[in-house]
Amino acid sequence: DAGVTQSPTHLIKTRGQQVTLRCSPKSGHDTVSWYQQALGQGPQFIFQYYEEEERQRGNFPDRFSGHQFPNYSSELNVNALLLGDSALYLCASSGGGTQIYEQYFGPGTRLTVT
Amino acid sequence: AQKVTQAQTEISVVEKEDVTLDCVYETRDTTYYLFWYKQPPSGELVFLIRRNSFDEQNEISGRYSWNFQKSTSSFNFTITASQVVDSAVYFCALSRPKSGGYNKLIFGAGTRLAVHP
């Protein structure tokens, strides 16, 4: 049973560039959430996708956008990168029923903005 | 507003010692969920436990135990007879179920546990 997978593992970008991160949820899960974890801090919720729509959003600017595909996989896009966007980006998936309350996380994508 | 506080930034113990990680939360909701996650050096968050606000029964799973006390808004995590493999950052988190059954997790800052041989 494959868990949550994310790609790429590491990424280095320059200020002002755009980046796309990818996530495949755990088998049987239909909801994907994205979190940003700065060094030494707890993860911060960015947004959540269900049925290809964003249904919750955290306190992040519009430079952060996402998409969910019919196969439930998801992308996180960040435009006009800032140095402060350097972080570990975590994807989490969850299923239906009471499983919605148990989010399973992927290994993350470490983004470095120079 | 919802908030999770993990006052212990780092804890260092010797193998076989017992260790308790503290978690204090704030919420105005009567129904909520509490979680503990483990983050090893690889970076992946590993789900450990979910507790409903209406269930204050303590739980034990092997060397792990959790003490949930609504009166003090605390959800503490104890590792008995710690092992080197327990070394990781541990996060306490809170979620508020919204209609439709979806939620977001609000994390504390984490406690880094180092278990030395």
Side-chain angles (χ1 to χ4, degrees):
Chain A
D1 180 19
V4 180
T5 60
Q6 292 185 245
S7 63
T9 305
H10 296 89
L11 206 51
I12 299 175
K13 290 286 189 178
T14 304
R15 273 180 301 176
Q17 286 188 318
Q18 178 262 343
V19 68
T20 297
L21 311 181
R22 295 176 177 83
C23 170
S24 291
K26 182 178 169 65
S27 178
H29 286 182
D30 57 9
T31 301
V32 173
S33 301
W34 287 91
Y35 292 82
Q36 179 196 66
Q37 185 179 15
L39 198 61
Q41 298 182 23
Q44 300 289 318
F45 176 79
I46 302 175
F47 43 52
Q48 183 180 87
Y49 278 85
Y50 172 71
E51 292 187 343
E52 302 179 49
E53 289 191 359
E54 181 186 296
R55 67 176 181 184
Q56 272 198 102
R57 188 178 183 90
N59 190 24
F60 279 81
D62 292 343
R63 297 187 298 109
F64 289 77
S65 63
H67 187 78
Q68 186 178 35
F69 298 94
N71 67 352
Y72 308 122
S73 67
S74 177
E75 289 182 349
L76 164 65
N77 301 292
V78 187
N79 295 321
L81 284 167
L82 304 173
L83 294 179
D85 294 332
S86 294
L88 179 68
Y89 287 85
L90 294 163
C91 170
S93 73
S94 50
T98 57
Q99 292 181 36
I100 188 70
Y101 303 118
E102 294 176 7
Q103 296 187 33
Y104 291 84
F105 285 80
T109 293
R110 185 162 296 284
L111 172 65
T112 302
V113 182
T114 62
Chain B
Q2 296 180 303
K3 185 181 178 182
V4 176
T5 301
Q6 295 180 257
Q8 304 152 307
T9 305
E10 292 189 32
I11 299 176
S12 181
V13 300
V14 176
E15 213 170 13
K16 297 184 183 178
E17 282 187 33
D18 298 347
V19 58
T20 296
L21 309 181
D22 298 332
C23 172
V24 174
Y25 62 92
E26 296 176 30
T27 182
R28 295 180 181 178
D29 297 313
T30 55
T31 300
Y32 51 89
Y33 295 86
L34 296 165
F35 303 78
W36 276 95
Y37 282 86
K38 173 182 180 180
Q39 188 173 43
S42 62
E44 183 172 341
L45 283 167
V46 178
F47 169 81
L48 296 178
I49 188 172
R50 167 174 65 95
R51 174 61 70 204
N52 306 330
S53 56
F54 44 86
D55 180 5
E56 288 194 69
Q57 206 167 16
N58 291 330
E59 183 158 340
I60 298 175
S61 176
R63 296 184 296 107
Y64 295 170
S65 62
W66 291 269
N67 184 356
F68 176 31
Q69 293 193 346
K70 287 180 76 170
S71 60
T72 56
S73 296
S74 65
F75 186 43
N76 296 337
F77 173 31
T78 298
I79 302 175
T80 303
S82 61
Q83 300 176 2
V84 173
V85 293
D86 295 327
S87 296
V89 180
Y90 291 86
F91 290 97
C92 180
L94 169 71
S95 78
R96 171 193 182 190
K98 300 185 71 173
S99 60
Y102 55 93
N103 72 89
K104 67 178 182 183
L105 289 168
I106 297 167
F107 286 87
T111 297
R112 180 176 300 277
L113 173 65
V115 182
H116 303 282

